[in-house]
């Protein structure tokens, strides 16, 4: 319910929010977490962030998405970007159509937030120099942590 009235999830289709609620379609690959109880005990944290979702790894419930009440700050304890791009084969790595749509809607939201920022490069030359197209990803093999890496010298 907090998710439905949130900024981050508000433009997600209903069926997708439903899938997020009942299917295991988010990649959670972290060791540390914040419990609802500890969050609630911290008045400053509570005043700053609103909890939008929790996950359960079978042992512990943990906060998986938060957004700031007043600022464009977001925190995810899952990997919205991995479903369409990361093909390392390990438990929790999902590529289902719903997982990929979640990734799409999350990135659309972040892009729309970023576009509120009016910062820009002073010139086309400097902009071109910063583009990712200047760099080639390197295939690291299916057994590596990430199948593709970028190297910036
Ligand atoms: C999702 O994962 C949980 C915890 O591992 C498990 O209990 C549950 O059955 C799974 N749900 C689905 C729909 O696969
Ligand atoms: C809550 O915070 C305490 C103190 O930092 C920590 O020791 C404990 O592991 C946390 N509990 C959970 C369930 O995360």
């Amino acid at each position: 319910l907090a998710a439905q009235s949130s900024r981050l999830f508000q433009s997600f289709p209903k069926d997708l929010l439903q899938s997020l609620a009942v299917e295991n379609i988010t990649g959670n690959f972290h060791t540390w977490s914040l419990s609802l109880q500890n969050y609630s005990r911290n008045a400053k944290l509570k005043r700053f962030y609103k909890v939008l979702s929790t996950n359960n790894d079978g042992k512990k419930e943990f906060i998986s998405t938060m957004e700031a009440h007043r600022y464009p700050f977001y925190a995810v304890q899952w990997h919205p970007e991995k479903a369409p791009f990361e093909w390392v084969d390990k438990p929790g790595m999902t590529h289902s159509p719903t997982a990929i749509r979640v990734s799409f809607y999350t990135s659309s939201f972040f892009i729309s937030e970023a576009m509120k920022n009016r910062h820009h490069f002073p010139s086309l030359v400097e902009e071109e120099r910063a583009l990712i197209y200047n760099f080639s990803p390197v295939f690291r093999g299916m057994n590596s942590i990430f199948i593709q890496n970028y190297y910036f010298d």
Side-chain angles (χ1 to χ4, degrees):
L1 284 177
Q4 276 169 20
S5 62
S6 69
R7 297 188 302 276
L8 203 168
F9 292 118
Q10 84 184 346
S11 66
F12 280 49
K14 282 243 153 61
D15 70 295
L16 213 49
L17 289 175
Q18 181 62 17
S19 293
L20 277 169
V22 299
E23 296 170 30
N24 294 325
I25 52 169
T26 57
N28 304 85
F29 305 107
H30 304 97
T31 309
W32 294 91
S33 66
L34 175 63
S35 64
L36 269 177
Q37 193 185 41
N38 275 4
Y39 160 84
S40 300
R41 277 192 198 133
N42 187 319
K44 281 186 186 164
L45 199 56
K46 221 174 142 179
R47 217 174 314 132
F48 196 86
Y49 279 112
K50 173 164 80 168
V51 173
L52 304 187
S53 74
T54 62
N55 278 72
N56 199 309
D57 67 355
K59 291 185 211 120
K60 260 198 177 111
E61 186 182 33
F62 56 92
I63 293 171
S64 47
T65 315
M66 303 197 290
E67 73 182 16
H69 291 286
R70 295 189 47 207
Y71 297 91
F73 293 178
Y74 303 90
V76 291
Q77 183 76 324
W78 49 287
H79 284 275
E81 81 290 1
K82 281 193 195 278
F85 298 114
E86 186 51 79
W87 292 89
V88 168
D89 189 13
K90 64 176 179 180
M93 202 67 93
T94 41
H95 306 288
S96 69
T98 37
I100 288 170
R101 284 171 67 219
V102 166
S103 186
F104 170 80
Y105 278 96
T106 312
S107 59
S108 301
F109 173 75
F110 279 107
I111 291 166
S112 70
E113 288 290 276
M115 285 173 78
K116 293 176 182 170
N117 189 316
R118 291 170 177 272
H119 291 183
H120 57 85
F121 287 95
S123 70
L124 189 62
V125 172
E126 283 191 53
E127 182 173 352
E128 281 184 354
R129 212 179 286 145
L131 293 179
I132 194 72
Y133 306 114
N134 291 299
F135 304 90
S136 300
V138 177
F139 177 49
R140 301 298 304 178
M142 294 305 283
N143 294 324
S144 52
I145 302 174
F146 306 108
I147 57 166
Q148 277 188 333
N149 285 359
Y150 280 93
Y151 295 94
F152 306 99
D153 293 327

